[in-house]
Amino acid sequence: MCSSDLPAFRDLDNEALQSQNLYRWMYIILILGGALVTIVAILQIAFFNASWIALIGSAIATILAVATAFLQSFRYQERYFNTRLGAERLRSEYFLFLSSSGLYANTQDRMQKLEQRILDIKREVKGGGIA
């Protein structure tokens, strides 16, 4: 197997893990922010005369709404799905190559076919065309 094959898988695998972690952190931030807004609303109910609590709650809710729109514009989930699928397709190609089946049954040009498939899969992932 070519020395450039395994790094291609590792690059996509690492990128998928990073996107997955960023996606999860985005939702942790949103959940904690939602809990904070709820706590502030409960404080406002408990202290009727404190109108400043309502202002704090609405400010936090506004910041949370802007953060949600901003974070979703990065499309972490779509990037995660795309890179994960690319990494799994590379893994599948490696196993087909190792078993000398499918495209790789011919022993003469199987290395060139593997290198071409790796380039094709990487191109599809970078173009966003897999998922």
Side-chain angles (χ1 to χ4, degrees), residues 3 7-8 12 18 28 34-35 40 45 50-51 55 58 69 71 74 79-80 86 89 96 116 121-124 128:
S3 64
L12 285 180
Q18 181 182 13
I28 288 172
V40 170
I45 292 170
S51 61
L55 294 174
S58 62
L71 290 172
F74 288 115
R79 287 184 4 211
Y80 163 65
R89 285 183 64 193
L96 288 173
Q116 184 59 46
I121 291 170
K122 285 171 59 176
R123 192 176 311 117
E124 288 174 359

Side-chain angles (χ1 to χ4, degrees), residues 21 24 36 50 53 68 90 110 112 114 122 126:
N21 288 336
R24 287 179 177 169
L36 185 60
I53 295 177
T68 301
L90 281 177
R110 50 185 253 161
Q112 291 83 11
L114 177 62
K122 285 171 59 176
K126 296 303 174 194

Side-chain angles (χ1 to χ4, degrees), residues 39-98:
I39 290 169
V40 170
I42 291 170
L43 288 175
Q44 180 186 2
I45 292 170
F47 303 108
F48 295 111
N49 294 334
S51 61
W52 58 272
I53 295 177
L55 294 174
I56 291 174
S58 62
I60 294 171
T62 302
I63 291 170
L64 197 58
V66 170
T68 301
F70 178 71
L71 290 172
Q72 286 189 348
S73 70
F74 288 115
R75 304 166 74 181
Y76 292 127
Q77 184 179 25
E78 184 180 325
R79 287 184 4 211
Y80 163 65
F81 287 151
N82 206 23
T83 53
R84 173 56 46 212
L85 182 57
E88 296 306 321
R89 285 183 64 193
L90 281 177
R91 183 190 311 249
S92 173
E93 290 296 324
Y94 294 153
F95 284 119
L96 288 173
F97 177 82
L98 291 174

